[in-house]
Amino acid sequence: MARKLTDTFLRGMEPNTEERDTVVEGLIARKRADALSFVFAFQRHGKRHKITLGQYPGTSLAEARDKAQAHRGALQAGRMPHPADTPCRSVNDLLDRYAAHLDETAKDPAQVKAILAKHVRPSLGPYDLTSLTRRDVQGLVDRIRPLTVAGAVGRYVTAAMNYGERRGLIEHAIRNLEMPSTGEPRQRVLSDGEITALMTDWLPHGPDALARSQFGSIFALCLLTGARRSEIAELTRAEIDVANGVIHLSAQRSKGGRETEVLLSSFALRILAQVPLRGDKVFPVERPRTADAAGGTRPGRAMRGFVSGFSRAVADSQRRTKTDAWTIHDLRRTAATQMAMAGIEPHIVEAILNHAAPRLRMTYSVKPHEAKARAALEAWGTRVWGLAGWE
């Protein structure tokens, strides 16, 4: 359906709807959750294309029509329309273009777009880029708490402006923002006594029986494999190769955006063998949730069917074992540190942690350290088993 778009109509659009404009062919107003944006849709050589024009009301209806008309003029002249044909006027314009760039290049653009939508668009979005100053952006970063989020906002805004400058969308990017300090990096490593207390808390009936909860199995696997929380908590049955003792992770599941593997020692396999079969997800959510009004970003773990509630599970385990202030990532650090202290070579530990290797080694060496990594994980598992008093 098509109609003449008006501001009154745009303000009253229902979520998850779109409408074509009859004034400028190809202009579409699209409402997704609470955000309304303009796109220009066209066909060239039998293929469909769309260019994001801006988010309403930062980009007005008149501005959207001007941009769409410019793209239509390019088509009529025999040229492929390009976003750079319409330079950015406002911060919202720039963020729209950067969001489209992320959709094509980033592994998980939803997090970046969500942070920009929450912290940058409301305050800086309407600003004309020609009048935006470093003081404006620095002031925004300085006001945001917690500091980790403030640092993320500063990095993402800087990246958006650098992208705009490279693409000729803006004349000058704002650089050299003062990023907040979040203190010294964590160096928490569990002691032998803490490992004993925690393993017997997570698996109170031993490694060959049900864990205290799904969290107990997840925590123990993180400690034994050195894997990241998401790599274990969002594990699916299809990713596990029991015969070869490995978890196959796709590029979408790996932090580095590349296919990788998590090696499973015989000890990790014993724990996995006790996890009940309840569908394709190894650790499914117990109380499914539905999308809320903030849709449009990547849904949380529980909404994707995976277990959630890690903060409470960690606090409960800390209380039962009387251990202090450990995090799930500290389990990964503990595994790496303990293996290094046992004499495992640094590049073997790096391979176990799936840290990105130098480009030359990534190109010309295919799984060169798997045998040594497996031996290291077996030795680490033996040590953990001994601390827990298991055979």
Side-chain angles (χ1 to χ4, degrees):
M1 181 181 293
R3 62 176 295 153
K4 181 179 179 179
L5 298 179
T6 65
D7 287 303
T8 300
F9 174 78
L10 294 174
R11 288 192 292 267
M13 281 186 69
E14 295 292 328
N16 301 315
T17 60
E18 61 180 40
E19 196 75 40
R20 290 181 175 271
D21 185 31
T22 57
V23 176
V24 178
E25 183 182 354
L27 176 62
I28 299 175
R30 176 181 295 167
K31 183 74 175 287
R32 294 290 182 265
D34 294 330
L36 190 154
S37 58
F38 296 108
V39 297
F40 176 67
F42 62 97
Q43 284 192 1
R44 182 173 169 82
H45 300 319
K47 294 184 178 181
R48 295 181 179 182
H49 304 272
K50 289 182 180 178
I51 296 177
T52 301
L53 303 178
Q55 194 172 83
Y56 183 83
T59 298
S60 69
L61 176 57
E63 289 173 337
R65 282 178 173 148
D66 288 343
K67 293 179 180 180
Q69 194 62 58
H71 290 313
R72 182 143 298 282
L75 275 176
Q76 293 170 349
R79 294 187 293 107
M80 178 70 174
H82 190 277
D85 293 339
T86 56
C88 295
R89 298 180 182 178
S90 67
V91 173
N92 273 330
D93 278 352
L94 175 61
L95 297 183
D96 288 337
R97 304 289 181 81
Y98 185 57
H101 168 70
L102 291 175
D103 287 336
E104 296 178 357
T105 59
K107 170 192 165 189
D108 184 9
Q111 179 183 6
V112 179
K113 293 194 291 184
I115 287 179
L116 292 173
K118 180 177 180 180
H119 297 284
V120 181
R121 287 187 186 272
S123 54
L124 297 183
Y127 274 52
D128 189 311
L129 282 165
T130 59
S131 61
L132 185 71
T133 65
R134 180 180 288 105
R135 182 176 181 179
D136 296 325
V137 181
Q138 186 68 62
L140 172 66
V141 172
D142 291 344
R143 292 192 299 271
I144 294 174
R145 294 294 182 274
L147 296 179
T148 52
V149 176
V153 169
R155 291 193 301 274
Y156 297 157
V157 170
T158 299
M161 290 198 166
N162 287 339
Y163 165 77
E165 186 179 56
R166 290 195 308 271
R167 303 296 296 179
L169 303 174
I170 60 176
E171 289 299 320
H172 301 290
I174 292 176
R175 299 187 178 87
N176 301 321
L177 295 174
E178 183 176 339
M179 301 299 185
S181 172
T182 56
E184 294 296 321
R186 285 184 64 86
Q187 297 180 336
R188 177 82 159 90
V189 175
L190 299 179
S191 67
D192 288 356
E194 289 174 323
I195 293 174
T196 300
L198 289 172
M199 287 296 290
T200 53
D201 174 61
W202 300 334
L203 306 168
H205 305 295
D208 299 312
L210 283 175
R212 180 184 295 275
S213 69
Q214 294 193 90
F215 298 107
S217 299
I218 293 171
F219 296 160
L221 287 168
C222 286
L223 182 62
L224 288 168
T225 63
R228 299 176 177 88
R229 181 183 74 172
S230 63
E231 294 171 347
I232 300 299
E234 300 183 18
L235 193 59
T236 65
R237 297 285 173 185
E239 293 173 327
I240 304 174
D241 183 349
V242 174
N244 294 302
V246 68
I247 295 171
H248 299 283
L249 296 180
S250 66
Q252 289 70 36
R253 285 264 284 124
S254 172
K255 182 179 179 181
R258 67 190 190 283
E259 291 186 7
T260 189
E261 295 178 346
V262 174
L263 300 181
L264 297 171
S265 65
S266 60
F267 305 96
L269 286 170
R270 283 175 67 178
I271 292 176
L272 271 175
Q274 303 307 316
V275 177
L277 291 172
R278 292 183 288 180
D280 65 315
K281 297 175 176 62
V282 177
F283 302 107
V285 66
E286 296 176 354
R287 287 174 290 187
R289 300 178 186 173
T290 57
D292 55 24
T297 60
R298 185 170 184 257
R301 180 179 293 106
M303 287 168 55
R304 287 181 280 126
F306 297 102
V307 66
S308 63
F310 286 93
S311 296
R312 178 175 293 181
V314 169
D316 289 344
S317 184
Q318 289 173 346
R319 186 189 68 254
R320 289 191 300 266
T321 58
K322 296 181 172 55
T323 51
D324 296 326
W326 56 270
T327 68
I328 301 175
H329 198 76
D330 293 338
L331 306 178
R332 175 175 165 87
R333 185 182 302 107
T334 297
T337 302
Q338 292 275 15
M339 282 187 278
M341 291 174 62
I344 306 301
E345 297 165 289
H347 63 279
I348 302 299
V349 177
E350 293 290 319
I352 291 171
L353 297 179
N354 279 318
H355 284 168
R359 182 175 296 274
L360 187 64
R361 186 158 19 115
M362 288 177 66
T363 302
Y364 293 104
S365 299
V366 180
K367 300 198 296 185
H369 309 303
E370 182 174 338
K372 291 184 177 180
R374 286 192 180 278
L377 285 171
E378 287 295 323
W380 169 233
T382 300
R383 175 165 169 71
V384 172
W385 245 237
L387 291 172
W390 299 330
E391 295 183 357

